[in-house]
């Protein structure tokens, strides 16, 4: 197509003055031979600084080293054009995200005379896209958190009311019928129903605690000035009643402090029951309290085969139970006792450990600071 000289000059002016695109020509070997205002703006070089240099200077050095530039020219000459989006480098070394088109230029005889290269700086667009993606991800995360929170609240409500309440009324019903019955078979049955519902409500309480620890931000303590005896004696008494043949030796040294009594009872109830249920039948269980300056040590000891060392720390994980079966399936728990106990002792800023070996049996040792300041 023949165009007039004037039109050609106008066209050249147009290309030279375009600011949004770098438009320039590479000779057949890839050296820059023209430059426009957009190229200067985007890439940073002035015409006299760049004309004659190979266009690989526009690529990150590690990319240029792979022979990518030569490959692009090869593709352009074979297929007529090459296009991609990728990282390019400005004169000052900073990178920008670019859309690049390389078009082959041939004379009327079909000989390759060079390449036209158009580069657009997409950094702004890319940054906007990235910001949009981040925003979308944040929104999704928020929605997910809300969904989980809703689920947690529902779950806690089910455990706390929907399951607990009917169980309480069953338990009450059993108690009322028991008082009106003299038939020994019925009484035995009611006895069993009563202890089943008690076991079940204990399990519900444990699952509630687990949910509070894992999902609802932890267990709340309500520490009050008290004597440790208030936490231990009722439990020892209760367990002596529940296991009349079991000897429980209780050695006590007066220890006052600031603790959550109900929660400590829960800890000792589990530790002493563990010693009774998982220890050797008809051997005494020892409960010792020892004061040491600002801390109290409480030890619960039972005899029995040692717990393998590798299992000892495992037992503190939720639902983790020992290899051996407990005495009877009836007394089998969920395996949450030690986990919750340790959480409760930690909430008091204390520690709970277990030691077990062949000569001395198994000992659970609780160390409590005498004052618990709850920081929330
Ligand atoms: N004093 C102990 N002597 C021997 N084994 C023990 C003792 N205490 C705990 N274990 C082992 O650790 C396991 C976990 O104890 P944990 O109190 O967490 O659960 P559990 O007693 O089985 O059930 P629950 O949730 O009702 O307490 C027990 O199943 C038992 O195998
Ligand atoms: Mg237990």
């Amino acid at each position: 197509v023949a165009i007039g000289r004037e039109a050609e000059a106008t066209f050249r002016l147009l290309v030279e003055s375009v600011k949004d695109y770098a438009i320039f020509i590479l000779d057949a070997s890839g050296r820059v031979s023209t430059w426009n205002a957009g190229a200067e703006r985007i890439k940073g070089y002035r015409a006299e600084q760049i004309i004659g240099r190979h266009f690989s200077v526009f690529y990150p050095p590690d990319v240029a080293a792979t022979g990518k530039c030569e490959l692009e020219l090869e593709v352009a000459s074979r297929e007529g054009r090459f296009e991609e989006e990728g990282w390019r480098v400005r004169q000052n070394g900073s990178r920008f995200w670019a859309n690049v088109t390389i078009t082959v230029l041939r004379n009327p005889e079909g000989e390759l005379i060079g390449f036209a290269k158009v580069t657009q700086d997409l950094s702004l667009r890319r940054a906007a896209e990235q910001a949009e993606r981040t925003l979308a991800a944040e929104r999704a995360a928020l929605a997910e958190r809300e969904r989980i929170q809703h689920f947690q609240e529902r779950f806690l409500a089910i455990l706390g009311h929907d399951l607990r309440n009917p169980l309480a009324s069953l338990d009450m019903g059993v108690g009322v019928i028991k008082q009106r019955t003299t038939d020994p078979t019925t009484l035995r049955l009611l006895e069993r129903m009563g202890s089943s519902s008690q076991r079940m409500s204990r399990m519900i309480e444990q699952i509630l605690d687990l949910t509070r620890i894992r999902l609802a931000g932890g267990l709340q303590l309500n520490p009050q000035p008290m004597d440790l005896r208030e936490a231990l004696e009722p439990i020892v008494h209760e367990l002596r009643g529940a296991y009349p043949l079991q000897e429980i030796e209780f050695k006590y040294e007066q220890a006052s402090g600031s603790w959550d009594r109900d929660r400590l009872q829960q800890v000792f109830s589990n530790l002493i029951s563990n010693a009774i249920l998982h220890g050797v039948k008809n051997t005494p269980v020892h409960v010792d309290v020892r004061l040491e300056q600002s801390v109290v040590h409480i030890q619960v000891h039972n005899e029995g085969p040692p717990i393998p060392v590798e299992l000892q720390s495992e037992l503190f994980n939720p639902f983790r139970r020992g290899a051996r079966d407990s005495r009877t399936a009836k007394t089998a728990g969920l395996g949450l006792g030690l986990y919750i106990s340790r959480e409760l002792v930690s909430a008091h800023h204390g520690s709970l450990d277990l030691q077990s070996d062949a000569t001395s049996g198994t000992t659970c040792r609780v160390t409590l600071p005498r004052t618990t300041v709850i920081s929330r």
Side-chain angles (χ1 to χ4, degrees):
V1 186
I3 45 173
R5 186 161 296 187
E6 208 174 313
E8 201 174 320
T10 312
F11 183 69
R12 183 186 298 268
L13 205 64
L14 166 76
V15 170
E16 278 170 2
S17 59
V18 164
K19 288 229 170 70
D20 293 331
Y21 296 86
I23 304 175
F24 53 96
I25 290 176
L26 304 176
D27 66 17
S29 66
R31 291 179 195 284
V32 178
S33 60
T34 71
W35 202 238
N36 77 338
E40 178 170 339
R41 193 183 66 85
I42 293 173
K43 297 186 187 275
Y45 300 93
R46 286 193 310 278
E48 66 271 21
Q49 295 173 315
I50 195 67
I51 287 185
R53 292 179 66 184
H54 193 263
F55 81 113
S56 57
V57 296
F58 305 140
Y59 291 69
D62 52 322
V63 175
T66 63
K68 182 169 163 48
C69 303
E70 292 72 17
L71 196 77
E72 288 178 6
L73 295 188
E74 212 181 288
V75 172
S77 48
R78 195 174 56 237
E79 294 173 10
R81 97 195 214 101
F82 170 87
E83 180 169 0
E84 73 156 5
E85 282 189 13
W87 290 111
R88 294 296 183 269
V89 183
R90 300 184 215 274
Q91 186 186 27
N92 65 12
S94 64
R95 292 184 179 208
F96 66 102
W97 188 254
N99 174 280
V100 177
T101 316
I102 301 174
T103 313
V104 72
L105 300 174
R106 295 184 186 278
N107 65 15
E109 287 73 46
E111 283 172 297
L112 191 150
I113 55 172
F115 302 89
K117 194 160 188 266
V118 180
T119 303
Q120 193 186 359
D121 183 351
L122 298 181
S123 304
L124 284 176
R125 196 189 81 188
R126 189 177 160 88
E129 279 170 4
Q130 212 128 35
E132 213 166 284
R133 271 200 295 277
T134 311
L135 200 67
E138 274 167 11
R139 274 206 207 100
L142 188 70
E144 177 68 3
R145 271 203 300 281
E146 274 169 8
R147 208 180 56 75
I148 291 173
Q149 178 151 6
H150 181 76
F151 175 81
Q152 284 165 10
E153 280 161 11
R154 187 80 198 97
F155 191 68
L156 283 170
I158 289 172
L159 285 171
H161 307 282
D162 305 352
L163 285 181
R164 238 187 333 191
N165 293 350
L167 199 58
S169 79
L170 278 180
D171 201 41
M172 208 181 68
V174 166
V176 171
I177 303 171
K178 225 152 103 183
Q179 282 172 353
R180 299 183 180 174
T181 311
T182 49
D183 173 43
T185 315
T186 312
L187 275 174
R188 264 204 310 280
L189 203 63
L190 289 169
E191 200 65 52
R192 242 189 281 158
M193 288 169 72
S195 71
S196 290
S197 79
Q198 270 160 29
R199 268 183 62 217
M200 191 156 161
S201 68
R202 179 169 174 266
M203 289 194 247
I204 292 174
E205 292 299 333
Q206 285 185 316
I207 303 269
L208 258 173
D209 280 343
L210 173 75
T211 313
R212 289 188 192 113
I213 296 166
R214 281 292 168 96
L215 305 176
L219 297 167
Q220 300 278 344
L221 289 189
N222 178 23
Q224 305 279 338
M226 58 174 277
D227 194 291
L228 203 60
R229 185 187 286 266
E230 296 167 38
L232 275 161
E233 224 163 38
I235 299 300
V236 171
H237 189 75
E238 189 185 302
L239 289 171
R240 277 178 182 150
Y243 302 95
L245 298 177
Q246 174 67 53
E247 198 182 321
I248 304 176
E249 247 182 58
F250 180 31
K251 273 210 217 113
Y252 181 79
E253 195 173 330
Q254 202 202 339
S256 57
S258 170
W259 303 297
D260 186 321
R261 197 189 59 217
D262 291 348
R263 290 307 205 169
L264 286 190
Q265 286 194 343
Q266 195 181 339
V267 171
F268 297 126
S269 171
N270 178 56
L271 296 185
I272 303 171
S273 314
N274 277 357
I276 296 170
L277 294 173
H278 307 307
V280 170
K281 204 170 179 173
N282 297 331
T283 58
V285 165
H286 295 269
V287 180
D288 294 317
V289 177
R290 200 164 46 78
L291 202 63
E292 190 189 290
Q293 288 162 0
S294 60
V295 298
V296 196
H297 300 289
I298 306 102
Q299 290 197 353
V300 179
H301 170 266
N302 60 278
E303 287 169 28
I307 301 169
V309 185
E310 64 279 8
L311 195 62
Q312 288 178 17
S313 55
E314 275 281 298
L315 294 175
F316 289 89
N317 290 329
F319 304 115
R320 197 50 219 255
R321 314 193 54 241
R324 288 179 304 115
D325 278 339
S326 327
R327 272 183 198 177
T328 62
K330 255 194 208 165
T331 53
L334 292 171
L336 285 172
L338 284 178
Y339 170 70
I340 294 169
S341 298
R342 181 176 265 177
E343 288 291 327
L344 285 171
V345 172
S346 300
H348 280 93
H349 306 294
S351 63
L352 166 57
D353 304 290
L354 184 144
Q355 267 171 19
S356 188
D357 59 62
T359 45
S360 44
T362 300
T363 307
C364 275
R365 185 183 162 115
V366 177
T367 300
L368 285 174
R370 292 182 61 190
T371 44
T372 303
V373 181
I374 304 302
S375 46
R376 269 187 201 279

